[in-house]
Amino acid sequence: MAKLGENVPGILDKAVDFMASSQAFMEYLKKSPRINRVPEQIPEEKAALFRERLDYYRNLYKPMCEQEESESES
């Protein structure tokens, strides 16, 4: 049996990932302005993870017209 609190780091990483995904998707839907600050609910040691995942999801949720433009420039 697992010790109490043993899974907390994994759960925290998933919560940070979910927050980054949610922010990027709201930006994609134009329901939230594009932010570059880390929400205050995220611990300082997870700030880099949030920024990394936010960049990943912003690229994932990029509108198709923007993707086609960037590919044609290459």
Side-chain angles (χ1 to χ4, degrees):
M1 184 152 93
K3 292 182 181 179
L4 187 62
E6 194 172 271
N7 296 325
V8 170
I11 293 170
L12 188 55
D13 287 351
K14 288 179 182 181
V16 169
D17 184 73
F18 178 74
M19 290 176 76
S21 172
S22 298
Q23 177 60 38
F25 192 64
M26 293 298 285
E27 291 172 6
Y28 170 75
L29 295 175
K30 300 190 184 326
K31 300 219 180 249
S32 175
R34 188 174 174 104
I35 63 161
N36 289 317
R37 63 175 177 76
V38 178
E40 59 189 43
Q41 298 91 340
I42 294 177
E44 187 64 35
E45 64 270 10
K46 297 295 181 182
L49 175 64
F50 176 80
R51 287 187 187 101
E52 176 186 320
R53 300 307 291 165
L54 183 59
D55 287 341
Y56 169 79
Y57 286 115
R58 280 177 173 164
N59 285 328
L60 187 67
Y61 296 137
K62 196 179 287 187
M64 288 301 292
C65 60
E66 286 182 24
Q67 288 177 352
E68 290 171 0
E69 288 174 8
S70 65
E71 289 174 0
S72 66
E73 292 174 0
S74 301

